[in-house]
Amino acid sequence: MLTIQAQSKIPTDYGLFTIYAFSENEKDWSPHLVLVAENTDYKKTVNVRFHSECITGEVFHSKKCECGQQLDAAMKYMSEKGGMIVYLRQEGRNIGIINKLKAYALQEQGLDTVEANLRLGLPADGRSFDVAVEMLNLLDVKEINMLTNNPDKMKSVENSRIILKSRIPLEIDSNEINAGYLVKKKDYFGHFLEKI
Ligand SMILES: [Zn+2]
């Protein structure tokens, strides 16, 4: 069972957050994290983003996806309006960084993001967002607005005790490299992308 292993304030370029580390075991070196903006009011509808780790996009500013820009935009939004980011250690739609790099290598040969995963014998999307719902429950969050384009994330909340009040789009402009990836997100995964 997940528990809060540690928590601390973290000042950022976007404002002050409290960061919580969740894991089953305190020796877990990659716990899931929740960043709660300073002005979050738990008595009101809480703005929430479920965000899956993407080291290439967030740390190294890869142009192959829009994860880094989405995370920055979400931090800015939460800092301004109140809310929290549930940061899930689900690198590469939960295939891990090694497999993600293998999939990228296949993409260099012309496969798209889905075909590459399937060629490796991996799911197109191996994520479950139930763990994120569990963290919201542990933080006693009852009702949320969700900052997302992903219907699967919304379904995970709709299937829980938490009330999903509304969706807030989080759409980033495409670039010349990630446009095809975003089309796949829209057409294959059904993401709500208006600009593509
Ligand atoms: Zn990414």
Side-chain angles (χ1 to χ4, degrees), residues 78-96:
M78 300 311 177
S79 194
E80 286 170 4
K81 314 257 187 193
M84 60 183 69
I85 297 167
V86 180
Y87 187 83
L88 301 162
R89 297 307 182 96
Q90 299 178 330
E91 177 67 54
R93 296 195 300 270
N94 213 20
I95 62 173

Side-chain angles (χ1 to χ4, degrees), residues 53-58 64-68 91 100 104 181:
E53 177 178 300
C54 173
I55 193 169
T56 47
E58 294 152 15
K64 284 180 68 69
C65 58
E66 83 286 41
C67 307
E91 177 67 54
K100 181 168 133 179
Y104 278 180
Y181 166 77

